[in-house]
Structure formats: C-alpha cells, structure tokens
Amino acid sequence: MTISDIAKMAGVSPAAVSRYLNDGYVSEEKREKIKEAIEKTGYVPSRQAQILRTKRTKIVGVIIPKIDSDSISRVVAGISEQLLEEDYQLLLANTENDIKNEIKYLKTFKQSFVDGVILIATAITDEHRKVIKSLKIPVVAVGQKVDFISSIYHDDYGAAYAMTAKIIEKGHKNIAFIGVPDWDAAVGVDRLRGFKDCLADNKLKFNSDWLKIGMFDMDNGYENAKKLMKMKKKPDAIFCATDTIAMGAIHCLNELKVKVPKDVAVCGIGNGKTVRVMEPPLTTADYYYRESGKEGARMILEKIENPKSPVMATMLGFEIIERESL
Amino acid sequence: MTISDIAKMAGVSPAAVSRYLNDGYVSEEKREKIKEAIEKTGYVPSRQAQILRTKRTKIVGVIIPKIDSDSISRVVAGISEQLLEEDYQLLLANTENDIKNEIKYLKTFKQSFVDGVILIATAITDEHRKVIKSLKIPVVAVGQKVDFISSIYHDDYGAAYAMTAKIIEKGHKNIAFIGVPDWDAAVGVDRLRGFKDCLADNKLKFNSDWLKIGMFDMDNGYENAKKLMKMKKKPDAIFCATDTIAMGAIHCLNELKVKVPKDVAVCGIGNGKTVRVMEPPLTTADYYYRESGKEGARMILEKIENPKSPVMATMLGFEIIERESL
DNA sequence: TTGTATGCGTTATCAG
DNA sequence: CTGATAACGCATACAA
C-alpha cells in the first residue's frame, strides 16, 4: 500500500493524497473519495519515506548512565510521559556508566537519527562539550546545570543547605557527611557546598575527618558509616548525599545497634521509592524527578520546533520530607 | 555530504562507493581513493536512506508497563546491554500501565518502524493476540509465558513452591499469602499455585481467609498485613508475591511491634535492590531479571536475522536468598 | 570489476 | 485548487 495506490483508487494524484494527509488543501469531493480509499485499505503512510523527505524522525534520543536506578528511571518516566503526549518517540541509550559510550551515542545521534537529545549525565567533560557543539541537533541536559546548552536541574545547593539547617535545628552539632566524588558537579560538589555553607552560617566548624567520599551505592553508606562509628569522636548525625547512601548507612547503624535517630541521626536526598519503609523511615528531600523529566522533554521539543530559541536553565525546587531518621 | 559527492571526489561511481561501504566488491586502487575521500570529509551514510532501501532499522522496540520499577528497569538494563553489543538501538515505549497504550504502540510498530519488538506485559489479552499476529515483525515476550510467540520467563511456580517449602521447613504452619490479581498470569496465578501446591504436598491446609489480593505496590503489603494482624487467628508467616509487597508488609509489622521473623516471618520474590537493608533483611528469591532481558534481546535478534526460526520458550531459574526475615 | 539506471514512498515545487 | 514531476540518499540488477 503506497500513496500512489490510494491515489489510483480514489482517482486522484498522489500529491492530492499527500495534501489530504497533511495540509488538507483539497476539495470536498476528492476528500471524500480519498478518505474512503484510505479507510478501505487501512493505508498508513511509511514513516521512513516521510523521514527521508522531511528530515524529521519525531524521535528524541535519551542518554542515561544507567537505567536501574531509582532516580533516573523516574526521570525517564517523566520524559516518556511528556513525549507520549506530544506524539514523539523515545530512543533510549544506556551508557552503563561508561563515558566512552556516552560520546559514542552522541556521535551516533549526530547522523541526525533523532531530532534532539536529552542528556542525563553526571559530568560534562571537554569532550562532551566538543561533540555536543558539533551536533546539528539540539541537546538539553537534565540533572546538571550546563552553561552552553539548555538544562534543567535540581536545587542541590539549596536542598543540602536546608537539610543541614534541619539537622542543626534538631540539636545536632557534630555532623558527618557521606558523599560522592567531585566529578559529579551536582551531587559531588553542590550538595557538599550547601552542607558546608550552612555549617559555617551556624558557626559550626566543618570536621574533615567526618567527610567521607565513595560511590553512588549502598556500600558507600554502609562502609563509611562503619568507619565513622569506629572513630574516637563520633558524629551524632550523618548527612548522606543520596538516599541510596543513606540506606546503606542506616543498615550499618542498625547492625551496630546504634539507635537512629537517638544516637545518630541520618538523612538523605532524593526521596527514593523505598526509603519510607526503612527502619526508621528516612528523612529526605523530594526532588520531583519525574517532573524534571517532563520539563526536559518540553524543553527539547521547544528547541526542536524552534531551533533558535534561547538557551535556558531551569532550576526545580525540593521539599524536605520529615520522617523519623532525623 | 552524499554518496555521490564522495563518488565525484574519488572519481568513481556512487555504486562503487556503496559497494565499498557494503560488500566491498571494489579494486584496490579505487578502494584507496574512496577511503581517502571518506576520511577527508568525515562522510557518514544517511541512516534514513539506507532504511528506506533496506527496510531494516536496526532498532528494536521495547514495550513496558512502567519504567520506574525495580524489576522492569533491570530487565531493560539487560536488554540494553545486549543490544548495545549487537549494535542495535532501543526504542522504549512506556505504556504507563495502560493497556490501550500497549495496543497503540504495537500498532505503531506495525508500520515496520522497528525490526522487532520485545514485550514486557503483565497480561496477554485476545486483543494482544490479534494485533501481534497481524504484525509483520517478530515479537518476543519477556516475563510471561506466551504460547504463540517466543518467550522467556521465570520459574514462578517453582520459586513459589520452593519458597513455601522453605517457610514450612522453618517450622511455620499457618501461612498467609499476599498476592496480586489473576489477570497477571505469572505473579497472580503461578506464584499462588506454587504456594498452594506446596501447602497441599505438605498436608497443610490452605486457609482462604489468609489469602489477600491487591496491587503491585507497598500499600498492598502494608494494608493486608494490617488486616491479617487484626484477625483472631493470625498467621505466623506471610508469603508476599513480590518484594515490594513484602516491604510494605514488614513495614506494617514493624509499626505494630510484631517481631519479624520471631512472631511472623515474611518473604518475597524478586530480590529487589533495597530489600537487603530492610529491618530485618528480606528473604527472597533472586530472579536474574537482567539476564532475562539479555536473553530476550538475543531471542529477538535471532528472530530478526532468521525470521522462520521456531517459536521457543525459555524458563529461567531462581535462587532462594536466605536473609533474616524468615 | 565497474557504472548506469531504477526504485524505495513521500513531500515540495510549480505550472496549469 | 490540482496534478506532473523532481528531489530525498542510498542499494542493487543489469549491462558493459
């Protein structure tokens, strides 16, 4: 079934059928005939041929470091929701945390296979910069603030600051921090900065022995909480940069029979799906991950429709969720 | 940059360049020239034009009910890994648990936009059947056994049976079951069947008052555990059909100050990422979700390469993970 | 081995 | 308003 077949059946030209399908610049009687022919045959235009002509795939590529992560899968859910609504499709590129794959996908997309790309990256290197600039299609970043492309990110500094203030408000003065490396600008840098600044503003001194850095997993929380509890001078609160880390930390504390929050308070950031059933339920900050995905999708769509729309940066807020671990 | 430009630069015909890129049916000297031209210009063939010609996109569509789920995101991670290896791309279609979207995507894919589709469905209705049969591209199912297409699934019956045996082995005789509706053949039907059969085989009678059905969320576990604990005759163990349900149940029990596993033992199925930090850590069955994704990808690729390869069904095993909740 | 010609299924142009 | 006709960029049958 091609457009010509339909044209023949309806006794019109292929061009008329095309117009019927698109602009709709066609007389009433022919419109009828064409409609009939299409309905009878169940004809559907070939996407590929359309794409070849129009140069638009109505697909957006989404590059992520991993999919089996609570926060990322929520962002993807948001993207997917918005895209579905706008009748776009979602090509998922999972880099498995390998920056080489990230560049590879970016280059693959360069062949204008997709109309735009949403990049959920933990770090933007010079190579990213270079490759992205060489692309002819728009790119937006979600989860990190990037200067040369539009981005949508969370108020990492603010959330960390507010959370720290909450810890202090609860009467804790000896606060440890378990975080991630500083190659992650959002989680590794901003959250730590918010923490330190709040400490300083409250005239509490930052104890670098209590600053522990590890990866984005529960082990980081578990191992570092253990180390913290082995020190002669122990903290009475632990601020974990992510919920996952916090879960590991609480698990460790429970094993050590350290009472949370009485002996040591714990909090995280992210409001992961399962943290409310921890023992005790985790105090954390909700980050509207899903919303950030939706907004990212809106942004890239806007860029696609209107390529010269200005670069913009949107910061999403947060909400402290008080539960019992703090 | 088109193939003709390269041809001109190298002083050969477009066909020669095409052959250089594909079959490689070209003389040594021309080969050199072409190579040079391509390198100089950084030419890359247009995917779209290739697709229009060859009718193959090297994309497989993956239809899922939701992405922000521990088990599903792990399956997708496996699919993604395998696809990356084979140089295929992954078009993600998230139905948001709406069966209408499932059909819609199936139909979208019908326009041979993808070379094959992997369906992660909870239920296969007659409409699914009809639409799938009308597709010209192969479809494989992951997570459910389906008779008319290749599928890969988990040993739900066996896992439930083994887990029940384990509960009995621990000395429990009054075992409740919190499950999901029977429109889900794997989780709703097979796991319950494994449970019942094991009970029968051990001469324990099945108490239908202790059979609770709800959705795939923590609330199901929470609410139904609460109901169970309000009964005059309480169970001393609760078998939850999924880890998520189990987490809700344990949370409830903790709130009620019911000791797990001393007063009531709990177990789940799935080995979710966070269940090992529950208090107490959850006894569950590992399901190799990631592996099932990889296998599903291999299957669809095989079908794509070799369309008349036979329908097959692969069942993946499981492993009981003993922790402290049982 | 090589090049020419043709077709894949649309959409855009342009003259009627 | 309408219908030829020319691209879009590539791959292949076929003739050379």
Side-chain angles (χ1 to χ4, degrees):
Chain A
M1 260 316 118
T2 79
I3 200 170
S4 319
D5 295 330
I6 300 297
K8 238 166 273 168
M9 287 186 65
V12 300
S13 74
V17 179
S18 176
R19 276 194 291 268
Y20 169 82
L21 259 11
N22 302 294
D23 324 47
Y25 208 57
V26 75
S27 70
E28 204 44 58
E29 51 172 341
K30 307 217 169 197
R31 179 178 297 278
E32 264 316 309
K33 288 207 196 298
I34 296 173
K35 188 177 167 195
E36 209 172 295
I38 289 181
E39 272 169 6
K40 192 153 55 193
T41 58
Y43 160 77
V44 182
S46 150
R47 273 301 287 289
Q48 296 312 333
Q50 289 179 316
I51 293 169
L52 183 63
R53 275 297 292 190
T54 62
K55 308 291 184 212
R56 301 188 72 202
T57 59
K58 296 207 86 170
I59 298 179
V60 342
V62 177
I63 301 181
I64 59 175
K66 58 191 282 200
I67 186 60
D68 44 348
S69 139
D70 187 76
S71 55
I72 295 174
S73 64
R74 279 155 77 192
V75 175
V76 174
I79 295 174
S80 150
E81 182 189 345
Q82 188 67 29
L83 255 29
L84 172 61
E85 205 164 287
E86 312 261 1
D87 220 44
Y88 269 69
Q89 298 199 280
L90 162 36
L91 193 71
L92 192 72
N94 182 355
T95 65
E96 315 239 353
N97 261 318
D98 185 343
I99 203 165
K100 276 211 233 58
N101 282 332
E102 217 162 281
I103 304 287
K104 170 187 163 170
Y105 278 126
L106 239 18
K107 286 183 173 163
T108 302
F109 289 162
K110 183 173 184 172
Q111 310 162 33
S112 83
F113 190 76
V114 296
D115 291 342
V117 5
I118 297 177
L119 179 62
I120 303 179
T122 49
I124 302 288
T125 66
D126 281 345
E127 189 161 9
H128 281 85
R129 227 184 196 67
K130 221 174 58 189
V131 178
I132 291 175
K133 284 188 172 165
S134 80
L135 294 190
K136 281 152 207 77
I137 51 176
V139 178
V140 314
V142 172
Q144 296 271 341
K145 182 170 185 184
V146 181
D147 51 9
F148 63 106
I149 55 177
S150 285
S151 57
I152 169 152
Y153 57 100
H154 305 281
D155 187 5
D156 289 288
Y157 177 86
Y161 191 101
M163 188 61 86
T164 309
K166 181 67 71 182
I167 300 175
I168 295 171
E169 180 190 321
K170 295 279 183 181
H172 302 284
K173 288 185 164 38
N174 305 302
I175 313 170
F177 187 96
I178 305 181
V180 303
D182 60 8
W183 47 252
D184 185 304
V187 183
V189 177
D190 291 346
R191 292 188 193 172
L192 179 57
R193 206 159 45 80
F195 171 72
K196 282 182 175 172
D197 282 3
C198 185
L199 242 41
D201 290 352
N202 285 276
K203 315 247 183 291
L204 291 176
K205 81 166 199 304
F206 168 72
N207 181 344
S208 62
D209 288 345
W210 289 345
L211 172 63
K212 300 292 184 188
I213 300 298
M215 289 315 300
F216 288 79
D217 53 30
M218 291 196 287
D219 282 348
N220 178 10
Y222 186 90
E223 296 300 336
N224 278 316
K226 187 177 275 180
K227 280 182 193 156
L228 251 12
M229 289 303 109
K230 274 193 185 137
M231 299 177 72
K232 51 249 132 209
K233 181 159 170 51
K234 300 176 183 49
D236 54 21
I238 304 177
F239 185 165
C240 300
T242 76
D243 277 8
T244 302
I245 295 173
M247 292 176 88
I250 288 186
H251 186 51
C252 172
L253 264 19
N254 283 340
E255 278 189 10
L256 263 31
K257 308 285 184 214
V258 175
K259 292 282 181 217
V260 181
K262 212 163 67 83
D263 301 338
V264 176
V266 177
C267 62
I269 284 187
N271 198 21
K273 268 191 163 171
T274 60
V275 298
R276 71 181 170 84
V277 297
M278 285 297 290
E279 199 56 39
L282 185 68
T283 290
T284 182
D286 194 299
Y287 249 35
Y288 310 111
Y289 283 119
R290 193 181 180 100
E291 192 49 52
S292 79
K294 289 188 68 167
E295 184 55 29
R298 279 190 216 107
M299 251 181 194
I300 196 67
L301 260 22
E302 163 65 23
K303 273 284 189 198
I304 291 172
E305 303 291 336
N306 183 0
K308 41 181 67 69
S309 63
V311 168
M312 55 188 182
T314 305
M315 187 174 81
L316 252 40
F318 60 89
E319 184 188 357
I320 300 289
I321 310 284
E322 279 200 71
R323 286 195 274 246
E324 286 138 50
S325 70
L326 177 65
Chain B
M1 259 318 117
T2 80
I3 200 170
S4 321
D5 295 328
I6 300 296
K8 239 166 271 167
M9 287 187 63
V12 300
S13 75
V17 179
S18 175
R19 275 194 291 266
Y20 169 84
L21 260 11
N22 302 295
D23 323 50
Y25 208 53
V26 75
S27 71
E28 204 45 57
E29 51 173 338
K30 309 220 168 193
R31 179 179 296 279
E32 264 316 309
K33 289 207 197 293
I34 295 173
K35 187 176 171 197
E36 209 173 294
I38 289 180
E39 273 168 5
K40 193 153 56 193
T41 57
Y43 161 77
V44 182
S46 150
R47 275 298 290 286
Q48 296 313 332
Q50 288 180 317
I51 293 169
L52 184 63
R53 274 295 293 191
T54 62
K55 309 287 184 217
R56 302 187 73 200
T57 59
K58 296 205 88 168
I59 298 179
V60 342
V62 177
I63 301 181
I64 58 176
K66 58 190 283 198
I67 184 59
D68 44 348
S69 139
D70 187 77
S71 55
I72 295 175
S73 65
R74 280 155 78 193
V75 175
V76 174
I79 294 174
S80 151
E81 183 189 345
Q82 188 67 27
L83 254 29
L84 172 62
E85 206 164 285
E86 312 261 2
D87 221 43
Y88 268 70
Q89 300 200 278
L90 161 37
L91 193 72
L92 191 73
N94 182 353
T95 64
E96 316 240 354
N97 260 316
D98 184 343
I99 204 165
K100 277 211 232 63
N101 282 332
E102 217 162 278
I103 304 288
K104 170 187 163 169
Y105 277 126
L106 239 18
K107 286 183 174 164
T108 302
F109 290 162
K110 182 174 184 171
Q111 309 162 34
S112 82
F113 190 77
V114 297
D115 291 343
V117 5
I118 297 177
L119 180 61
I120 303 178
T122 48
I124 302 288
T125 65
D126 281 345
E127 189 162 8
H128 281 86
R129 228 184 194 69
K130 221 175 57 189
V131 177
I132 291 174
K133 284 190 169 163
S134 80
L135 294 190
K136 281 151 206 79
I137 50 176
V139 178
V140 315
V142 173
Q144 297 270 338
K145 181 166 189 194
V146 181
D147 52 9
F148 63 108
I149 54 177
S150 286
S151 57
I152 169 152
Y153 56 100
H154 305 279
D155 187 5
D156 288 288
Y157 177 85
Y161 192 101
M163 186 62 86
T164 308
K166 180 68 73 180
I167 300 174
I168 295 171
E169 179 191 322
K170 295 279 183 181
H172 302 284
K173 289 186 161 40
N174 305 302
I175 313 172
F177 187 96
I178 305 181
V180 303
D182 60 8
W183 46 253
D184 184 304
V187 183
V189 177
D190 290 346
R191 293 189 194 171
L192 178 57
R193 206 161 42 84
F195 170 73
K196 282 183 175 171
D197 283 3
C198 185
L199 242 40
D201 290 351
N202 284 275
K203 317 247 183 293
L204 291 176
K205 82 166 197 308
F206 168 72
N207 181 342
S208 63
D209 289 345
W210 288 344
L211 171 63
K212 300 293 182 187
I213 300 297
M215 290 315 299
F216 288 81
D217 54 29
M218 291 196 287
D219 282 347
N220 179 9
Y222 186 91
E223 297 301 336
N224 278 316
K226 187 178 276 182
K227 279 181 194 156
L228 252 12
M229 289 304 110
K230 275 195 184 135
M231 300 176 73
K232 52 253 132 209
K233 182 157 169 53
K234 301 177 183 47
D236 53 22
I238 304 176
F239 185 164
C240 299
T242 77
D243 278 8
T244 301
I245 294 171
M247 292 176 86
I250 288 186
H251 186 53
C252 172
L253 265 19
N254 283 339
E255 278 189 9
L256 262 30
K257 307 285 182 214
V258 175
K259 292 280 180 218
V260 181
K262 211 165 64 82
D263 300 339
V264 176
V266 177
C267 62
I269 283 187
N271 197 21
K273 268 193 162 171
T274 59
V275 299
R276 70 180 170 86
V277 297
M278 286 298 289
E279 198 56 39
L282 184 70
T283 290
T284 182
D286 195 300
Y287 250 34
Y288 311 110
Y289 283 120
R290 192 181 181 100
E291 193 49 52
S292 78
K294 289 188 70 166
E295 183 56 28
R298 277 189 218 108
M299 249 180 196
I300 196 68
L301 259 23
E302 163 65 21
K303 273 284 187 195
I304 291 172
E305 304 291 337
N306 184 1
K308 43 182 64 69
S309 64
V311 167
M312 55 187 181
T314 304
M315 187 175 81
L316 252 41
F318 60 90
E319 183 190 357
I320 301 288
I321 309 284
E322 279 200 72
R323 284 197 276 248
E324 286 137 49
S325 70
L326 177 63

